[in-house]
Amino acid sequence: MVIDHGDAPSNASYEYAMLINTDSSRINQFVSSMTSAQPFYKVLQSDSLAHIVYYAPQKLTGCALFTKDKLTNDSLIISNNRPCLLMYDKEQNEILLSVTDPDLGFYEGPDDTLLLPDGKRKEVSIYSKKWYATAAKPSIIKLVLKGIWKLKGDNKNVTITFDKMGNSVLQVQCKYGEASQVKLLK
């Protein structure tokens, strides 16, 4: 399958779903679901700030937040301090949240790769970079969540405080691109 984006599309978008180990009956059920009032999944936001999708069968919301400190159209997340990946299952009084920082923190600062005359960066191997053999650095993902939530159980990599607006400020230590699981109670 090939998706032809055309030349410099403007105000265009697309989405696709993959069904694994399926048959024509399940495909028909999926198509029927997607055109109903209760679709299999729903794209809640898809722009330069975030991609947020709700997956109905497991009541999961997945978020790829591309920038920091930008409000999203999400029902739980108000803001974040750095790009991150989130997935959560929110019941009335409980949240199971998974937080990941996809940046392994091998280097900081501006890219030192040479610029070509056309303004693009010269393509180089990562093996030529001085940071290639450095260890990944941990980071703190700071999330502001709507409402007052408290940690359920012990989690030494997570702290939670509350702001003046009655929201929860969650700080999660992330490392090596691994997902950190957080359980919260209302």
Side-chain angles (χ1 to χ4, degrees), residues 56-77:
Q58 293 184 346
K59 299 179 183 177
L60 290 174
T61 301
C63 308
L65 305 179
F66 304 127
T67 59
K68 65 177 187 167
D69 293 330
K70 300 291 183 185
L71 298 179
T72 67
N73 295 330
D74 190 66
S75 64
L76 177 66
I77 310 298

Side-chain angles (χ1 to χ4, degrees), residues 32 38 41 59 68 73 90 110 129 141 155 161 166 169:
S32 178
Q38 301 290 323
Y41 75 88
K59 299 179 183 177
K68 65 177 187 167
N73 295 330
K90 179 182 172 196
K129 297 292 190 176
I141 299 291
N155 194 327
T161 57
V169 181

Side-chain angles (χ1 to χ4, degrees), residues 35-173:
T35 58
S36 74
Q38 301 290 323
F40 192 71
Y41 75 88
K42 184 174 181 184
V43 176
L44 303 177
Q45 183 172 340
S46 178
D47 57 26
S48 63
L49 302 177
H51 287 176
I52 302 175
V53 176
Y54 177 71
Y55 177 61
Q58 293 184 346
K59 299 179 183 177
L60 290 174
T61 301
C63 308
L65 305 179
F66 304 127
T67 59
K68 65 177 187 167
D69 293 330
K70 300 291 183 185
L71 298 179
T72 67
N73 295 330
D74 190 66
S75 64
L76 177 66
I77 310 298
I78 294 174
S79 67
N80 55 298
N81 70 325
R82 56 188 291 134
C84 59
L85 302 174
L86 311 171
M87 188 171 1
Y88 65 85
D89 175 6
K90 179 182 172 196
E91 300 295 329
Q92 277 188 289
N93 296 317
E94 189 170 325
I95 298 172
L96 177 58
L97 174 69
S98 177
V99 181
T100 304
D101 184 349
D103 183 351
L104 299 178
F106 289 130
Y107 63 93
E108 294 177 352
D111 189 346
D112 62 356
T113 306
L114 294 176
L115 284 176
L116 299 172
D118 64 1
K120 294 182 182 178
R121 298 222 177 259
K122 180 180 179 183
E123 188 172 330
V124 297
S125 167
I126 65 164
Y127 303 110
S128 69
K129 297 292 190 176
K130 58 186 167 198
W131 50 260
Y132 167 68
T134 62
K137 295 180 187 110
S139 65
I140 300 291
I141 299 291
K142 181 178 172 184
L143 303 169
V144 178
L145 309 179
K146 293 177 186 168
I148 299 292
W149 297 92
K150 296 183 180 171
L151 283 173
K152 179 180 180 182
D154 263 349
N155 194 327
K156 63 182 176 161
N157 294 325
V158 179
T159 61
I160 193 162
T161 57
F162 309 101
D163 68 13
K164 296 175 189 172
M165 305 297 289
N167 296 307
S168 302
V169 181
L170 192 70
Q171 294 189 67
V172 181
Q173 182 175 347

